[in-house]
Amino acid sequence: MKDGIHPDYHDIRIVMTDGTEFVTRSTWGSEGDTMTLEIDPLSHPAWTGGSQRLVDTGGQVARFSKRFGHLKLG
């Protein structure tokens, strides 16, 4: 790597939503900083299978269903 053109790469501590911690290397923050996550794979519905709310902005879902509703997957 060329000197002087890359950001500082250092160890930081990550705190998950359940309180577990681990150390990783990152360009975020400074050496020894702590990143506390508000959303992670333990709490996000995309990974946990929790309920998700579908927001139909401007009827986009209705238009999609009208155009492609006849197609069957699988």
Side-chain angles (χ1 to χ4, degrees):
M1 293 192 308
K2 288 185 178 180
D3 290 336
I5 64 168
H6 297 283
D8 180 36
Y9 196 59
H10 47 268
D11 290 338
I12 63 168
R13 189 177 67 159
I14 305 291
V15 179
M16 307 283 273
T17 56
D18 68 346
T20 58
E21 301 177 3
F22 64 93
V23 176
T24 188
R25 295 185 49 79
S26 176
T27 59
W28 179 85
S30 302
E31 179 76 30
D33 280 353
T34 300
M35 177 186 287
T36 304
L37 302 179
E38 296 175 4
I39 297 176
D40 63 16
L42 301 173
S43 65
H44 195 280
W47 288 287
T48 62
S51 63
Q52 296 177 340
R53 191 175 66 178
L54 185 61
V55 178
D56 188 4
T57 305
Q60 291 181 19
V61 173
R63 282 197 309 270
F64 181 86
S65 295
K66 184 177 177 182
R67 283 182 74 186
F68 302 108
H70 67 283
L71 299 175
K72 301 293 180 205
L73 297 175

